[in-house]
Amino acid sequence: MDHAADAFRTDLMTITKFVLNEQSKHPESRGDFSILLSHIVLGCKFVCAAVNKAGLAKLIGLAGETNVQAMFYNFTCVFWLQGEEQKKLDVLSNEVFVKALVSSGRTCILVSEEDEEAIFVEPSKRGKYCVVFDPLDGSSNIDCGVSIGTIFGIYMLKDGGESRLEDVLQPGKNMLAAGYCMYGSSCTLVLSTGSGVNGFTLDPSLGEFILTHPDIKIPKKGKIYSVNEGNAKNWDGPTAKFVEKCKFPKDGSPAKSLRYIGSMVADVHRTLLYGGVFLYPADKKSPNGKLRVLYEVFPMSFLMEQAGGQSFTGKERALDLVPKKIHERSPIFLGSYDDVEEIKALYAAEEKA
């Protein structure tokens, strides 16, 4: 294949072209949102490269050596990572995204899974967007080569005034965009800007994300359920009944298959493409659930609804939740519309009992 010729093909829809096309639908747009997304894409490319070299570069643990100097250009963005002691991959990923987002000049508040407190961008680099993200979800799986990923969501500053923590403590339905980048056998970025879901795959020869999964729609009902059955003894009634129904259906339908990787990005990606349901319910050990609302539950729920599915907490639509803390947790059931509808019916029945 002639990769040089590929670079000039006009039929290839790159993520840059896609975002600019979306921007053109809004004549009032000044391009700020497109610039922010380009910096998120830049961070994903860097983390993808770091994940692929993790074993060779000893990035898995602290090594006490110094990383090779690296410089990245993207439009007006230049940021340096140099002379630093080698760090664990999740810590490095967090630094990459923080620097990429701040250097975009379009963000005001950043909330990361790796940082206890929210980051307020200094006034000279401040913009109007709030970004919540998990820089490397599933990082405990790095050693065994399981797919891991970055999850992100974008909010607009509530008003034109000074940024406050309340600007990120908004319900998920207020998100402007959400997505994830999965680092596995290929590097796949799935994105929604509020009008459907599209998937892009990184072509290493071009250094560009190419549209490979346009307008993703989750099947209305799936054949797969995804849950950690090791926690079964601690589940509540509706969860236990649903899983029992998946394994031993009484209506003559075939049993569902269990698929559980233990990396949310990988499990949700499979659910999005093939249908079914992903569950991380509350249990006796974690009565409030385990997954974080802002940068895990909300972005994945946003994508699932945009693809025609549903998300549910056991009490309400996930995107209607109003978080009170930046690292708040919640139970979550998300996936195919009919499968989540079954779970909602089981919880409704328990309430009436």
Side-chain angles (χ1 to χ4, degrees):
M1 180 182 280
D2 187 348
H3 294 302
D6 264 358
F8 296 99
R9 279 175 53 186
T10 56
D11 60 325
L12 285 179
M13 177 61 77
T14 66
I15 194 165
T16 304
K17 191 192 295 186
F18 177 86
V19 170
L20 290 173
N21 284 352
E22 289 294 301
Q23 180 187 316
S24 67
K25 297 175 186 176
H26 305 278
E28 73 285 358
S29 173
R30 298 187 305 164
D32 289 348
F33 189 65
S34 301
I35 291 170
L36 173 59
L37 282 176
S38 74
H39 282 247
I40 291 173
V41 169
L42 175 67
C44 291
K45 288 177 183 177
F46 181 90
V47 173
C48 178
V51 167
N52 290 338
K53 294 175 182 174
L56 293 172
K58 297 182 182 177
L59 289 173
I60 301 303
L62 286 166
E65 299 173 8
T66 301
N67 286 334
V68 176
Q69 172 176 293
M71 183 166 65
F72 296 85
Y73 293 93
N74 193 38
F75 298 104
T76 58
C77 164
V78 181
F79 64 90
W80 288 80
L81 293 170
Q82 61 174 344
E84 296 179 347
E85 191 179 65
Q86 284 187 357
K87 298 183 172 77
K88 287 187 178 180
L89 204 47
D90 49 359
V91 177
L92 175 65
S93 301
N94 187 51
E95 290 189 5
V96 166
F97 275 102
V98 169
K99 289 177 181 178
L101 291 166
V102 171
S103 66
S104 73
R106 303 301 186 275
T107 57
C108 54
I109 308 174
L110 309 178
V111 173
S112 168
E113 191 269 344
E114 290 289 324
D115 296 315
E116 284 188 31
E117 304 293 333
I119 297 169
F120 288 82
V121 179
E122 61 183 272
S124 63
K125 296 178 180 177
R126 193 172 293 165
K128 60 183 179 181
Y129 297 105
C130 311
V131 182
V132 294
F133 61 100
D134 185 345
L136 203 61
D137 180 73
S139 54
S140 60
N141 288 318
I142 295 168
D143 287 354
C144 57
V146 169
S147 295
I148 52 181
T150 299
I151 309 171
F152 61 90
I154 302 172
Y155 287 107
M156 175 85 80
L157 198 63
K158 277 184 176 177
D159 52 54
E162 200 68 21
S163 51
R164 301 165 301 160
L165 193 59
E166 289 72 27
D167 289 309
V168 290
L169 296 177
Q170 300 186 52
K173 63 186 177 185
N174 291 356
M175 276 187 171
L176 296 181
Y180 60 81
C181 189
M182 184 175 71
Y183 315 111
S185 55
S186 59
C187 181
T188 305
L189 195 153
V190 175
L191 173 70
S192 175
T193 56
S195 54
V197 181
N198 291 278
F200 303 82
T201 303
L202 183 64
D203 183 337
S205 64
L206 301 177
E208 273 281 15
F209 280 98
I210 308 297
L211 181 64
T212 50
H213 297 77
D215 195 23
I216 297 170
K217 295 294 181 190
I218 185 170
K220 200 160 186 288
K221 190 174 180 66
K223 300 176 181 177
I224 297 170
Y225 72 103
S226 182
V227 65
N228 183 356
E229 289 214 52
N231 294 327
K233 68 176 183 178
N234 297 314
W235 288 343
D236 61 16
T239 301
K241 285 176 184 174
F242 177 75
V243 173
E244 185 74 6
K245 190 177 178 183
C246 288
K247 295 193 283 189
F248 306 105
K250 294 177 181 176
D251 58 1
S253 60
K256 291 185 187 292
S257 298
L258 170 64
R259 298 285 184 271
Y260 186 71
I261 298 166
S263 172
M264 188 187 190
V265 170
D267 280 315
V268 170
H269 186 67
R270 183 199 56 249
T271 303
L272 193 62
L273 296 183
Y274 300 157
V277 62
F278 170 83
L279 307 76
Y280 212 116
D283 57 34
K284 292 172 187 173
K285 289 192 302 179
S286 308
N288 296 319
K290 193 173 178 184
L291 297 180
R292 313 285 187 160
V293 172
L294 275 180
Y295 41 79
E296 291 176 322
V297 170
F298 279 172
M300 293 308 200
S301 297
F302 186 91
L303 290 166
M304 205 57 72
E305 286 199 7
Q306 286 291 320
Q310 288 197 80
S311 64
F312 180 60
T313 67
K315 294 180 180 177
E316 61 184 318
R317 175 192 178 209
L319 293 180
D320 287 339
L321 265 176
V322 182
K324 295 178 175 62
K325 298 180 292 184
I326 60 173
H327 296 299
E328 191 169 313
R329 300 174 191 264
S330 171
I332 188 65
F333 306 85
L334 53 81
S336 293
Y337 192 94
D338 288 354
D339 291 321
V340 177
E341 201 65 24
E342 280 186 40
I343 295 169
K344 288 164 73 174
L346 288 168
Y347 274 95
E350 186 182 68
E351 271 191 24
K352 289 178 183 176

